[in-house]
Amino acid sequence: MTDSQNETISTIQIDETMTVGTLAEKLMIPVTKLIAELMKNGVMATVNERIDFDTAQIIVDELGLGVKLEHASEDDTSLAKHRTSRKQAGKNGQVRPPVVAVMGHVDHGKTSLLDAIRESDTAKGEAGGITQHISAYQVTHGDRQITFLDTPGHEAFAALREHGAQLTDLVIIVVAADDGIKPQTLEAIRFAKKADVKIIVAINKIDKEGADQNRVKQQLSENDLMPEEWGGDTIIVPVSAKTKEGMPALLDMVLLVADVEELKADIDVPAAGLVIEAHMEKGRGPIVTALVEAGVLRQGQYVVAGTTYGKVRTLESTNSKALQEAGPSTPVVISGFRELPEFGDEFRVVATEKLARTTVADRARGQSRTTASGISTSGQLMQVINRNIKLQELPVIIKADVKGSVTSVIDSLKTLENEEVSIRVIGSGVGNINETDLHLAHSGNAVIYGFNVQMPPTIKRQAGRDKVRVRLFSIIYELIEDAKGELSNLLAPEIVETELGRLVVKGVFKTTKTEVICGGEVSKGKLTAPALARIRRGKETIGEAEVMTVQKGPQEVKEAVEGDMCGLQLKTESKIELEEGDHIELFTRETVARKL
Ligand code: GDP
């Protein structure tokens, strides 16, 4: 990847997508400059976020660097190439198992379905009882394999997509037969369509009273997913995660779609794939779950991922079986990394330790650092860049049980941003809420969001004392809703004006710098005080004033209605010379809180 750096800077080769950090590095400009330019163009991207070739070209043009970007050459063996061409592997490409994600509305049965699938695994041996959070696993159905990814919430799919649209080949969208399509179902459909992955709909809970498959099919057809039996091409499988009815049919369909798609991968290339989870384990160091996408990964090889590297010390399946090697679509657990890579980082086998070290050193330049407490501080960078931008920010600290969840939460929160409000992650990390988090939140006025983590009682007391806002959730949807509320509070309130009525001026009795007293006829609506007034002459507005009193004759009245003759006492900021025939429009102005 360093090939182009010594060439003339007129042409630079880049991949189809690349991180902002990598591009800055290739252009040899400070990453802050690149991010600022992206922001100017409406792209809010952090160092590790990916942008595509076209965006990169536009930004480079805007920067006026005199640089031309070119797609990396054909013999580039980088992962991005494998990824974009995963469906059209080289001529030696071998059939590989499909990679499937399950998404749907909360409580529609994603977890139950994944559990049922795991139980149905025909190759489920006695090995390694499954006890904890597993982010990916492979099951055998008949004599074939299927890889399932368990995402902490389907909002995470947005994140997955950013980290590589091809991570999943197929999405099973779960819809509860007794509940029908809900907002998150629609979101899931949208995500899947945007990422251009195949969709299978599992109508779940068909055992339940009130289950109405036809209604769900009707709703699906209204959302561009016409069931096959109605002449469309959407595969729908009725299932019950509870009674297991329909489960084999569902897996059959997954394999059928895989066959139609002819999913293949090269195996004669250096192994490469994506990190889908990373956490520290006492005595073992960084433990990384990754999905092999191409090539065959073996114990003892050197791997680079993001800005860290390691030698594969142990290679296991996600249910703790030792593996000698792992081919495409296999989720694996690797130990031997020096540090924790990030969720979504590409990993790639390199030939020697030296190469691993230099690749990582190259990449580390310009990337955000991690403090001793394990909290990344790219927020500081954002602060510098955001200085010129009129954005309201919600500073947050994200803590979660595993690294994949941290990234998913952050990426999901990012989807809430718009041109007015943004999320600023001033810290993030794996583990329970601790004192460092509180300090950071206190000084940065941040909200701490915990996902699947806890807050020890002493920390809770301290948070109360310091008035630090800590919110703990185990359902990502609820966390997002909470953040939505917080962001809504930052939105500038809407100003709503309501017209009350109008007066046509017939006489002016007193004019000073700060006061006008006039009389006339109410031509429309109702005049009351206090109110605001806009004075118009023809089409022009000549001033604004406050209405202090409404009078009929010498008497102050509550209101005057259409047709009444009345007087107005106006308070003005500067002298307004009223004339007969001017119109005075009375209105109220309220600020109304807005919602995201
Ligand atoms: P998730 O939020 O989508 O992961 O949903 P869960 O898997 O946690 O399921 C939500 C609730 O629905 C739980 O109480 C499950 O026991 C129940 N449930 C899931 N699948 C079925 C099913 O097929 N039949 C019935 N009767 N209940 C189900």
Side-chain angles (χ1 to χ4, degrees):
M1 301 288 282
T2 54
D3 49 0
S4 59
Q5 281 178 2
N6 300 325
E7 292 172 14
T8 56
I9 61 155
S10 55
T11 312
I12 288 183
Q13 295 198 337
I14 61 167
D15 295 320
E16 187 50 42
T17 71
M18 76 233 79
T19 64
V20 173
T22 310
L23 181 61
E25 203 175 302
K26 289 220 162 198
L27 295 170
M28 291 190 257
I29 59 168
V31 71
T32 44
K33 187 169 173 187
L34 183 59
I35 293 181
E37 190 62 34
L38 280 162
M39 285 187 166
K40 255 198 243 161
N41 285 276
V43 181
M44 301 295 164
T46 53
V47 202
N48 292 318
E49 256 163 286
R50 297 195 149 269
I51 55 172
D52 59 22
F53 186 93
D54 295 338
T55 310
Q57 182 65 66
I58 293 167
I59 298 301
V60 167
D61 289 348
E62 297 264 316
L63 282 168
L65 298 172
V67 169
K68 199 168 161 287
L69 298 183
E70 208 175 77
H71 285 282
S73 62
E74 282 306 302
D75 60 4
D76 189 334
T77 50
S78 78
L79 178 68
K81 170 129 191 310
H82 286 306
R83 185 122 28 98
T84 45
S85 64
R86 213 167 62 156
K87 281 183 181 161
Q88 316 106 36
K91 57 182 182 307
N92 296 330
Q94 307 245 329
V95 174
R96 61 171 180 81
V99 180
V100 183
V102 177
M103 302 195 293
H105 198 72
V106 65
D107 274 349
H108 279 196
K110 294 181 293 291
T111 315
S112 310
L113 201 70
L114 282 165
D115 287 348
I117 288 167
R118 206 145 49 188
E119 274 172 41
S120 77
D121 187 355
T122 48
K124 190 178 61 169
E126 57 280 56
I130 296 154
T131 45
Q132 46 174 323
H133 182 101
I134 292 186
S135 49
Y137 55 86
Q138 207 165 52
V139 296
T140 306
H141 181 61
D143 57 357
R144 296 176 60 186
Q145 265 82 43
I146 306 172
T147 301
F148 282 91
L149 294 183
D150 184 2
T151 57
H154 83 250
E155 290 84 351
F157 196 68
L160 292 185
R161 193 161 54 77
E162 269 187 17
H163 290 277
Q166 300 294 338
L167 183 54
T168 50
D169 303 301
L170 198 158
V171 166
I172 295 179
I173 294 182
V174 184
V175 188
D178 61 337
D179 203 20
I181 286 189
K182 293 279 157 202
Q184 281 175 295
T185 324
L186 292 175
E187 238 171 78
I189 295 172
R190 234 180 10 247
F191 282 142
K193 287 204 164 165
K194 221 166 156 188
D196 197 25
V197 295
K198 294 286 152 196
I199 294 175
I200 291 181
V201 178
I203 302 186
N204 189 31
K205 306 197 189 184
I206 54 169
D207 60 291
K208 267 186 101 170
E209 214 178 295
D212 187 349
Q213 294 186 40
N214 263 331
R215 185 182 57 156
V216 178
K217 286 177 195 164
Q218 182 64 40
Q219 292 172 328
L220 287 169
S221 66
E222 285 161 14
N223 286 285
D224 235 7
L225 292 177
M226 184 62 77
E228 271 188 326
E229 60 184 289
W230 293 2
D233 59 4
T234 304
I235 300 173
I236 295 178
V237 188
V239 297
S240 164
K242 190 174 169 190
T243 68
K244 315 283 184 291
E245 190 184 341
M247 295 306 297
L250 180 63
L251 299 180
D252 286 345
M253 281 303 167
V254 168
L255 289 171
L256 187 74
V257 171
D259 288 342
V260 174
E261 290 286 292
E262 294 189 331
L263 303 172
K264 287 190 174 172
D266 288 324
I267 56 164
D268 51 1
V269 294
L274 282 181
V275 170
I276 48 183
E277 191 189 295
H279 67 273
M280 287 301 244
E281 229 170 73
K282 266 217 182 90
R284 290 185 77 198
I287 301 296
V288 175
T289 307
L291 180 72
V292 180
E293 292 194 312
V296 178
L297 183 65
R298 297 188 175 86
Q299 213 186 330
Q301 287 179 322
Y302 288 102
V303 276
V304 172
T307 53
T308 179
Y309 75 96
K311 182 177 183 174
V312 180
R313 194 165 57 220
T314 58
L315 183 66
E316 292 175 350
S317 71
T318 49
N319 56 359
S320 311
K321 267 194 212 153
L323 300 174
Q324 287 305 313
E325 54 175 47
S329 297
T330 314
V332 290
V333 180
I334 307 167
S335 74
F337 271 96
R338 302 188 141 231
E339 284 168 30
L340 285 181
E342 298 275 333
F343 169 81
D345 275 347
E346 300 169 357
F347 79 83
R348 187 159 54 95
V349 164
V350 292
T352 62
E353 181 169 16
K354 185 161 176 245
L355 200 54
R357 250 197 332 258
T358 48
T359 309
V360 164
D362 274 355
R363 286 185 188 177
R365 270 188 286 132
Q367 303 234 339
S368 67
R369 284 199 167 44
T370 299
T371 62
S373 66
I375 286 175
S376 78
T377 55
S378 60
Q380 283 169 358
L381 174 68
M382 295 305 290
Q383 206 171 12
V384 175
I385 301 152
N386 278 340
R387 221 172 266 154
N388 296 328
I389 295 173
K390 278 211 173 103
L391 258 183
Q392 290 291 332
E393 289 178 334
L394 176 66
V396 296
I397 294 170
I398 309 297
K399 295 298 292 278
D401 53 343
V402 290
K403 203 141 187 190
S405 301
V406 173
T407 315
S408 295
V409 169
I410 292 174
D411 286 335
S412 303
L413 288 176
K414 290 272 171 198
T415 64
L416 299 176
E417 295 184 338
N418 62 22
E419 57 286 351
E420 280 184 73
V421 287
S422 73
I423 298 274
R424 185 154 64 84
V425 182
I426 63 168
S428 64
V430 171
N432 287 339
I433 314 296
N434 60 34
E435 217 176 319
T436 319
D437 301 331
L438 292 190
H439 283 314
L440 192 62
H442 193 59
S443 58
N445 194 25
V447 183
I448 301 179
Y449 281 111
F451 181 66
N452 280 340
V453 295
Q454 286 167 3
M455 175 158 54
T458 49
I459 300 292
K460 192 171 178 182
R461 275 195 296 278
Q462 193 185 335
R465 233 179 8 246
D466 296 347
K467 300 204 169 46
V468 172
R469 293 168 292 173
V470 184
R471 315 269 164 76
L472 303 181
F473 295 95
S474 56
I475 297 176
I476 197 161
Y477 179 67
E478 290 175 3
L479 189 155
I480 303 302
E481 283 301 304
D482 187 277
K484 233 187 210 175
E486 289 290 338
L487 284 173
S488 295
N489 293 338
L490 295 179
L491 287 175
E494 195 177 359
I495 295 171
V496 178
E497 288 187 0
T498 315
E499 194 180 334
L500 301 173
R502 278 186 207 177
L503 179 101
V504 187
V505 177
K506 305 265 183 196
V508 183
F509 311 117
K510 184 177 172 191
T511 306
T512 70
K513 243 177 155 177
T514 58
E515 192 185 35
V516 176
I517 297 175
C518 65
E521 185 183 340
V522 184
S523 62
K524 190 179 167 196
K526 200 162 37 175
L527 307 191
T528 58
L532 296 170
R534 203 172 275 126
I535 298 148
R536 291 188 188 272
R537 185 163 299 157
K539 285 197 172 142
E540 225 183 304
T541 302
I542 60 166
E544 274 202 18
E546 274 177 69
V547 183
M548 309 309 287
T549 57
V550 180
Q551 281 176 291
K552 274 190 199 163
Q555 220 118 69
E556 195 176 320
V557 291
K558 261 206 181 125
E559 60 177 48
V561 297
E562 199 174 323
D564 285 351
M565 296 297 289
C566 72
L568 293 181
Q569 183 201 1
L570 304 176
K571 190 170 141 199
T572 60
E573 294 266 291
S574 57
K575 197 167 181 179
I576 297 178
E577 301 275 6
L578 265 190
E579 287 175 9
E580 205 181 315
D582 286 346
H583 285 256
I584 302 182
E585 264 175 33
L586 268 63
F587 64 97
T588 56
R589 194 181 273 153
E590 281 172 309
T591 52
V592 181
R594 279 160 62 209
K595 279 211 173 113
L596 202 63

